[in-house]
Amino acid sequence: MPIQILPTRLANQIAAGEVVERPASVVKELVENSLDSGATSIEIDIEKGGHKRILIRDNGSGIPHDELALALSRHATSKIAKLDDLEAICSLGFRGEALASISSVARLSLSSKPKEQTQAWQAHCEGRDMQVQLNPVAHPDGTSVDVVDLFFNTPARRKFLRTEKTEFTHIDEVVRRIALSRFDVSFSLKHNGKLLRKYPAVKAQGTELKRLGAICGKEFAEQSIELNSQYQQFELKGWLAQPEQAKTQGDFQYFYVNGRMMRDKLINHAVRQAFEGLIAADLYPAYVLYLTLEPNQVDVNVHPAKHEVRFHQARLVHDFIYRALTDSLNQYFQQGQQQQTPEVNVLPQAEPNHDYIQPLQRPISEPRVDEGLASYSGARTQSSGYSGTLVNKGVAEHLVNSSQVINQSSKNYQQLMTPTQPTNSAPSSTEQSNMMLGQWLQVTDKEILLKVEQTFYLLETSALHLSVMSRLYSDAMPVSQPLLMPVSITATADLLAQAKALYQPLLENSVEIGWTPNRIILRKVPAGLRQLRWIECLENILGCLEIETDKVRKHLLTCIVSSEEMSVLQIQELWQQFVGSSVNLKHDITQIGKPVHLDDWLNAYE
Ligand SMILES: Nc1ncnc2c1ncn2[C@@H]1O[C@H](COP(=O)(O)OP(=O)(O)OP(=O)(O)O)[C@@H](O)[C@H]1O
Ligand SMILES: [Mg+2]
């Protein structure tokens, strides 16, 4: 077959595959056009589930006589004029595809009258080349689009249409979504001549709940958690169903980005993460949320049907949504599950403490705090400010198993007494200090034996650990990171009271908790400490009797230290850290170690 240009109608029918899937998609496109035209009232009239007829009337700006034919041509739009316009789209339409596509697969007539025009005109397409016929018609200011016999000329598509009822259910859902996006516009929906939905425009501020109730049900409108957060140029508003009212299906999730309904993976992930631990894994949170951001921050031109967007600062957007939802949920639980109308929650201007943001802003060469901590906690990566490097790797490796250490203790004791053949040579950076101290010997995974001048000291590794941690975090804990899997424990009345009292001081120490009547959830922890067995120390953490930030930090560090089992390698690293950060090592050792009489100590081992 030679190459040939396809007839206009056929080209449009092919393109229509992406735009017109079913009657509900026609309704969506036409109502979006009405909204773009500034209409304040939109009437939707459906016959036989849209198979037979879809008629949309609006009171918007109308289309001038000279542009009517163009409106039905492909790639004809009044909404963008140049490439740059694509970067900041404020309208719902911009492709110039919808009317041409619909009119290639149905009998479409477009009637319109701008208020400046005295006569209304009607356009419809005919033939292979979609020639447009214009006729005068009686019509008030605004536009009507009448779509009859959808897919009459594309039998393959027609076959895929479901029953009238099913198709109408889809249309009803589209109208609900759109009505939720524009409270200032009134909508009516008729099916087979019967008025089924009427959503009057919301005129006065504060009366949104009426429309919300009409669309989402009274219960949702009355009990949902209202949310209103701002961060830099982002704003997130809307309503969340209480976690207890999570759904078994994910169909009560309305998320709008600059007024456009979206189903986006990034958004879903952020929302899901905020509800993690609050609802069972097989339930879905219910919400109606509106994200507003600068139009140039979002690219809507990534999906033919505009179902997806791309955020230029995806991680920041994710983080903002997560944070805004988490804050609202926390506020809700703190306020005793009363329905609430929070003040606008302006998130602090400082970057949120979240690992989705941190890595982007860190020069690649600079080690992260958490990498250092991860290395100290077992996952050996590069060295960092905290982890230190193992100098005597050979010795360290053969001491990996702590039981080996105990068995070797008496042998090592001999060596300990012979400073010229040290068990464990000191790191070069601390060589001097160690020489001053003599040697140290790790006797078990819980204790270290040290000789300082002529005195032996027994040092508990947990005390060493705590001392290192306390020095490192004397002013503040590292930034917080969300746990990949938030952990939760059963809430007793006492624990709940403690959780409430400690919420703020823990937050100031980069630990974020939340609660439901039955569970206490740990969501965020200081960076680098995610791999700790938090579930085991959460209850201990809540046992803190103080509420001052510093004291809570101390308690937190104690809980962290006692929940962690250290390998020999880690203890050696801790020792290096301890030595490295000591100004007066001898003094510091005497502070945390206790002097022992060597023979007594050895006898205790035998
Ligand atoms: N209800 C309406 N009121 C006023 N103008 C309209 C209406 N419907 C369509 N138009 C005009 O017709 C043009 C073509 O509409 P169409 O829906 O085909 O494309 P679009 O809205 O520009 O882009 P998209 O294909 O993304 O929807 C619009 O750009 C607009 O100028
Ligand atoms: Mg359009």
Side-chain angles (χ1 to χ4, degrees):
M1 205 191 292
I3 298 176
Q4 53 190 322
I5 306 268
L6 296 176
T8 311
R9 183 175 289 272
L10 180 54
N12 289 356
Q13 284 171 334
I14 293 169
E18 282 170 348
V19 179
V20 192
E21 194 194 334
R22 63 192 334 158
S25 23
V26 173
V27 174
K28 172 181 175 284
E29 293 296 338
L30 299 182
V31 175
E32 286 188 352
N33 278 347
S34 298
L35 289 173
D36 281 345
S37 78
T40 55
S41 170
I42 300 173
E43 291 168 18
I44 305 149
D45 233 326
I46 306 294
E47 274 177 39
K48 294 190 185 274
H51 296 191
K52 180 76 204 127
R53 188 178 199 194
I54 296 168
L55 171 64
I56 315 276
R57 289 194 201 94
D58 70 51
N59 63 350
S61 62
I63 307 171
H65 168 268
D66 297 348
E67 296 174 21
L68 265 184
L70 267 182
L72 296 177
S73 328
R74 227 169 128 212
H75 309 307
T77 179
S78 57
K79 299 169 192 176
I80 58 167
K82 52 188 189 313
L83 189 65
D84 287 357
D85 297 343
L86 266 182
E87 284 175 21
I89 289 175
C90 299
S91 52
L92 296 165
F94 57 85
R95 303 160 304 185
E97 289 271 346
L99 288 182
S101 294
I102 299 165
S103 67
S104 72
V105 293
R107 300 182 217 281
L108 180 146
S109 54
L110 169 65
S111 310
S112 196
K113 178 184 167 312
K115 69 171 180 309
E116 308 74 32
Q117 219 171 270
T118 44
Q119 175 65 55
W121 291 84
Q122 186 178 68
H124 66 269
C125 290
E126 281 178 0
R128 280 160 49 99
D129 292 328
M130 299 188 72
Q131 293 298 327
V132 179
Q133 302 288 314
L134 288 186
N135 296 305
V137 70
H139 193 280
D141 292 351
T143 302
S144 298
V145 186
D146 198 358
V147 178
V148 176
D149 293 337
L150 182 61
F151 298 141
F152 78 97
N153 53 359
T154 51
R157 308 290 307 276
R158 198 172 177 89
K159 263 207 322 243
F160 283 101
L161 286 179
R162 299 296 179 84
T163 61
E164 240 182 68
K165 190 163 168 259
T166 306
E167 294 301 344
F168 183 76
T169 309
H170 285 284
I171 292 173
D172 194 19
E173 178 60 21
V174 160
V175 175
R176 279 152 61 96
R177 283 185 201 169
I178 295 181
L180 277 174
S181 78
R182 288 291 300 270
F183 283 36
D184 56 328
V185 175
S186 72
F187 297 88
S188 69
L189 173 62
K190 280 189 191 162
H191 192 204
N192 297 334
K194 203 164 148 202
L195 180 66
L196 294 181
R197 311 275 176 225
K198 190 150 180 59
Y199 305 126
V202 173
K203 295 261 162 54
Q205 256 211 335
T207 53
E208 292 97 345
L209 288 183
K210 241 180 149 178
R211 159 120 12 141
L212 190 68
I215 299 174
C216 300
K218 223 167 144 230
E219 188 186 45
F220 181 82
E222 282 171 1
Q223 299 180 6
S224 59
I225 305 164
E226 193 173 344
L227 178 143
N228 192 348
S229 275
Q230 284 171 8
Y231 174 72
Q232 293 180 353
Q233 84 282 28
F234 304 133
E235 185 187 73
L236 187 69
K237 282 185 174 182
W239 298 271
L240 296 173
Q242 297 171 11
E244 297 78 18
Q245 265 137 32
K247 310 279 176 204
T248 48
Q249 287 186 333
D251 54 359
F252 202 126
Q253 302 190 325
Y254 298 96
F255 199 103
Y256 299 85
V257 177
N258 288 349
R260 191 187 297 279
M261 164 94 182
M262 284 295 143
R263 288 203 178 269
D264 182 272
K265 282 198 201 105
L266 174 118
I267 294 167
N268 282 350
H269 184 270
V271 175
R272 190 83 230 177
Q273 199 170 350
F275 276 90
E276 196 88 55
L278 293 175
I279 59 173
D282 56 347
L283 292 183
Y284 298 84
Y287 53 80
V288 179
L289 292 170
Y290 306 88
L291 174 68
T292 315
L293 66 175
E294 301 282 329
N296 63 8
Q297 287 292 311
V298 51
D299 187 359
V300 288
N301 189 26
V302 292
H303 187 281
K306 307 174 208 156
H307 290 151
E308 285 168 23
V309 284
R310 195 170 292 142
F311 296 105
H312 293 304
Q313 300 188 74
R315 288 173 179 221
L316 193 56
V317 170
H318 176 284
D319 195 62
F320 168 65
I321 297 170
Y322 169 79
R323 171 94 185 258
L325 295 190
T326 306
D327 284 356
S328 291
L329 287 165
N330 281 338
Q331 249 179 52
Y332 158 73
F333 286 122
Q334 276 171 17
Q335 291 175 13
Q337 299 164 18
Q338 297 297 317
Q339 194 194 345
Q340 41 171 334
T341 311
E343 296 292 299
V344 176
N345 182 12
V346 182
L347 301 182
Q349 281 305 301
E351 292 301 323
N353 297 336
H354 192 303
D355 68 337
Y356 280 95
I357 296 175
Q358 300 292 335
L360 289 181
Q361 292 167 349
R362 177 176 52 97
I364 288 160
S365 57
E366 187 189 321
R368 275 169 62 174
V369 182
D370 54 323
E371 280 165 359
L373 291 172
S375 96
Y376 120 85
S377 290
R380 206 150 299 281
T381 56
Q382 71 220 68
S383 75
S384 76
Y386 183 43
S387 72
T389 46
L390 276 175
V391 174
N392 197 340
K393 221 168 159 247
V395 175
E397 274 166 6
H398 94 260
L399 292 179
V400 164
N401 188 323
S402 57
S403 61
Q404 266 179 312
V405 180
I406 300 170
N407 295 339
Q408 291 231 334
S409 60
S410 70
K411 226 196 269 170
N412 291 348
Y413 167 66
Q414 295 302 324
Q415 291 176 344
L416 176 69
M417 303 309 287
T418 322
T420 48
Q421 286 180 4
T423 307
N424 203 1
S425 58
S428 54
S429 61
T430 56
E431 212 160 346
Q432 246 185 327
S433 321
N434 272 8
M435 280 169 60
M436 180 273 284
L437 281 169
Q439 297 301 312
W440 73 279
L441 166 70
Q442 186 176 343
V443 262
T444 69
D445 56 348
K446 302 258 179 312
E447 289 170 319
I448 295 168
L449 184 66
L450 274 173
K451 188 180 176 208
V452 182
E453 292 166 357
Q454 294 314 311
T455 314
F456 285 92
Y457 285 87
L458 207 55
L459 218 69
E460 285 186 11
T461 50
S462 59
L464 179 71
H465 193 177
L466 186 60
S467 166
V468 169
M469 297 275 272
S470 307
R471 279 182 200 172
L472 196 67
Y473 304 130
S474 57
D475 296 328
M477 295 300 285
V479 294
S480 55
Q481 273 187 326
L483 286 172
L484 295 176
M485 287 295 293
V487 296
S488 64
I489 56 172
T490 307
T492 60
D494 285 351
L495 279 180
L496 263 182
Q498 277 294 93
K500 288 176 188 174
L502 288 170
Y503 174 77
Q504 193 54 35
L506 281 174
L507 202 58
E508 281 156 16
N509 284 303
S510 304
V511 172
E512 189 177 306
I513 54 171
W515 53 85
T516 69
N518 311 321
R519 313 283 303 162
I520 293 174
I521 305 113
L522 177 65
R523 292 218 187 82
K524 286 191 188 175
V525 299
L529 297 174
R530 285 206 284 212
Q531 68 297 329
L532 290 192
R533 284 170 304 186
W534 287 101
I535 187 114
E536 286 167 26
C537 60
L538 182 53
E539 195 164 338
N540 282 348
I541 292 171
L542 296 174
C544 184
L545 299 173
E546 315 278 355
I547 52 162
E548 290 95 39
T549 310
D550 289 1
K551 291 183 178 159
V552 172
R553 182 159 61 247
K554 229 171 139 186
H555 176 82
L556 183 64
L557 289 174
T558 313
C559 295
I560 289 174
V561 165
S562 59
S563 79
E564 215 186 0
E565 278 177 17
M566 305 287 280
S567 73
V568 176
L569 286 172
Q570 290 163 346
I571 294 169
Q572 291 199 345
E573 285 187 354
L574 274 180
W575 174 249
Q576 313 282 345
Q577 289 289 314
F578 182 72
V579 172
S581 61
S582 262
V583 180
N584 183 341
L585 189 55
K586 185 178 158 192
H587 170 264
D588 291 346
I589 289 172
T590 56
Q591 289 295 299
I592 58 169
K594 64 171 193 262
V596 288
H597 193 272
L598 208 53
D599 290 333
D600 295 347
W601 177 76
L602 272 176
N603 284 340
Y605 263 92
E606 274 161 10

